[in-house]
Amino acid sequence: MTDSNTHKDSPFVAEIIRQQFPLIAASPNVYLDNAATTQKPQVVISAIEDYYRSYNSNVHRASHQLSEQATVRYEAARETVKAFINASSSREIIWTSGTTESINLVAQCYAASRLQPGDEILVSVMEHHSNIVPWQQAAERTGAILHPIPLTQTGDLDIEAYQRLLSPRTRMVAITQLSNALGTLTPLKHCIDLAHEVGAQVLVDGAQAIAHLPVDVQSLDCDFYAFSGHKIYGPTGIGVLYGKEELLKSLPPWKCGGEMIETVSFSGTRFNKLPFKFEAGTPNIAGAIGLAAALRFLSGLDRQAVMRHEQKLLAYAYDCLSALPGLSVIASPKDRAALIPFVIEGFHTYDIGALLDQQGIAIRTGHHCAMPLMEFMQLSEGTARASFALYNTNTDVQRLVEAIEYLITTNPSIQSSITAELSIKASGNLPAPEPAPTPLQQNSIQSTLENCRDWQSRYTFIMKLGKHHNEMLDNDKTEANQLHGCTSKVWLCHNYDPAADSFWFKMDSNAKVIRGLGTVLIEAVNGLSAEQIIQFDIDDYFRKLGLIQHLSPSRTNGIKSIMEAIREVATDHQK
C-alpha cells in the first residue's frame, strides 16, 4: 500500500514538504517542540478520517464486510511496522498506547517471570522517567537492584562505567537510543553487544530516535524496542513494542480481557498466540491505521536526504544560538541529533518558554521528564529545548534566534510611580493596617495592563513586576508553603484579618513570569472575603487583561495552581 503524494525519487526540500502538514502550512508560528510531539501530514489525517467515514468497525470479531475490511487494514498496518523496523515476523509487533505502555509491559511481565532478589537492572542517567520508574517499581517488587549508568562531562554515555556495571547478575539493560533532553545518540549496537556478553537482555527506548534514524531491530539485535506513533508524524494514543518472538512467548500476559484469550472456562484459561496475547480489549484501530500511513509517508521520502537536512539544520541552530550573549548550549555529545537544550543567564527556563510563546515560537522548557539527568548536570531549573523535524527550516531557526535576541536585549521598564505600591500591596507584605480599597475598584496593575496595546508592552510590564516583586523572606519559603510542580518553584502563604473579614496573600517564585503574573493575581484577591475569593473568575479576569494564554491547565505549578491554592484557603475557612 502506498500514498500518492510521497515521492522517494524526488529531491527532498523542506519548504515543499511542509506544505503537506496542514497545521505547519497554515500557521504563521514556528513549531520547535517536535521532541514532545510531531505534527501530522495530510495523508495521516485522511487515513484516520477514512477509517471512521468508510469502514469503522471492530476487528477480528465479526464476519460482516466492514469488520473484514477493518481487520485487513489493521493487520496490514502491523505488517507496515514490521517492514519499517525490519522485524523478522509480524508476531513480534505488539500494539500499545505508546512508548510508556510498551516499557511498562516489559517491566511488569519481565519482573514477574525473570527477576529475583539480587538481580541487576541498568538504566542510564539520561533516561526519560518512563524508562526509569517502571524499573524502579520492578526492582522494589522483586528485590532486584537498579543501577544508573553515568554520563561523561560532555553528555555522552560513559561506556567504561557501563562496562564496569555489567555483571553476570545483570538481567536487563534499559537504554534510550536518543536522549529527549540532550539529543545524545548512544552507541547502541555496542551497548547491546556488551549486555549480551553477560547474558542480559536489552530494551531500547526508541521514542525520540524513530523519526530521525533508520531502525533495523535485527541488525541491532535488541531484545525489545519501543516507540510512539505521535513522535513519528502519526496519531497519539498508539505505539509499538517490538520483542523477539521467543522472548515474547516466554513472558506471561500483562492485561487480561477479550482478544488475548483463546478459551475461557472456570476451570482455566488458555491465552491467545502472539501478538494477541498482549493486546487485551478493543484496540486503537484508527491509531494503528494512522501510524501505518505515517510510516509509509516517511518511507516514501529519501531518508538519507532527510537526515542530512536535519543535521544541517541542527548545526545551523547550534552556531546561531551559541553566538548569543548569555546563552549556553547544554552538553557537547559526540553525536547529537534533532534537538538543542540551552539556558540563558538571568532567565528561568519557564520565562524563556512563556516569552517565546508570545512571539509565536513553540519550544519546551523544564526538566523534560528527566529529573535524574538534570540533577546529574546540576540544572535545577531544567533547560529550554528547541527540537526539530523534517519540516523545519533555517527560517524557523532565524525566527527563534531573533526572538531570543529580543528577550536578551530588551530592558523592561515600568512606571516608577506604582513601584512602591506594588512592593507594599501587590507583592504581599502582609496586610496594610487600614482596610484596603476593593482591589478590583482601585487596581493599578489592572489599569496598566488594560492600557497595554500589544504583547511587547504586556511582556515588559509583567517582567518588571517579576523583577521588582518583593520576595518572601526565607523563613516563609517552607515545604508547607510550596506548591509542588515540575516547571518552577512557587510559595504561597496568607493571613486572615477577622475584623475586615478579608484575606491577604503573598507569593514568590523563582520564575519571573510566574512571579509577575502571580503579582497580578495577588493584587486582585488581596482584601477579598472567602466568599468573594471562591466566586472570583480568574479566567474572565485574565482574559480582560490579555493574559488568558497564561492559564494553561498543564502539569505546572503556574497561575491556575496558585488560584486553586488560594480558593482552597477560602473554602477551608468557610467550613
Side-chain angles (χ1 to χ4, degrees), residues 40 44-45 47-49 51-52 55-56 59 73-74 77-78 81 95-98 227-230 232-240 282-296:
K40 318 308 173 195
V44 170
I45 298 169
I48 296 170
E49 181 184 18
Y51 164 71
Y52 285 118
Y55 56 98
N56 175 44
V59 294
R73 297 288 185 90
Y74 178 72
R78 198 189 306 269
V81 175
W95 295 120
T96 67
S97 65
F227 69 92
S228 301
H230 72 102
I232 187 170
Y233 313 109
T236 57
I238 188 70
V240 170
T282 296
N284 184 353
I285 305 167
I289 290 168
L291 174 55
L295 299 185
R296 292 194 300 270

Side-chain angles (χ1 to χ4, degrees), residues 120-128 131-133 135-136 145-150 157 162 165 172-176:
E120 296 173 351
I121 306 165
L122 304 186
V123 301
S124 81
V125 168
M126 62 182 159
E127 297 306 312
H128 190 281
N131 203 25
I132 296 176
V133 179
W135 299 110
Q136 284 180 330
I145 303 168
L146 184 68
H147 291 298
I149 309 167
L157 191 75
Y162 173 58
L165 286 169
M172 175 64 70
V173 175
I175 191 168
T176 185

Side-chain angles (χ1 to χ4, degrees), residues 389-502:
L390 57 81
Y391 41 66
N392 290 124
T393 64
N394 284 359
T395 300
D396 292 337
V397 174
Q398 291 163 5
R399 285 191 56 187
L400 170 67
V401 172
E402 290 169 0
I404 293 175
E405 284 179 329
Y406 179 85
L407 301 185
I408 293 173
T409 58
T410 299
N411 182 19
S413 62
I414 190 174
Q415 297 174 359
S416 60
S417 61
I418 68 169
T419 302
E421 180 183 352
L422 295 180
S423 66
I424 294 172
K425 185 175 71 170
S427 69
N429 284 339
L430 297 182
E434 298 180 0
T438 303
L440 295 181
Q441 291 178 347
Q442 298 183 19
N443 188 328
S444 57
I445 293 177
Q446 179 185 11
S447 61
T448 302
L449 284 168
E450 286 176 341
N451 289 326
C452 291
R453 297 183 178 181
D454 51 35
W455 83 265
Q456 287 94 340
S457 57
R458 283 192 293 272
Y459 151 69
T460 299
F461 185 74
I462 292 298
M463 290 301 287
K464 193 66 175 180
L465 288 179
K467 181 178 180 181
H468 288 281
H469 173 83
N470 282 356
E471 296 182 1
M472 282 182 176
L473 298 175
D474 288 340
N475 58 7
D476 285 327
K477 295 180 181 179
T478 64
E479 178 72 16
N481 289 336
Q482 186 172 351
L483 306 182
H484 290 282
C486 64
T487 297
S488 62
K489 290 184 178 180
V490 171
W491 298 269
L492 177 74
C493 57
H494 71 279
N495 278 353
Y496 174 67
D497 181 358
D501 186 26
S502 60

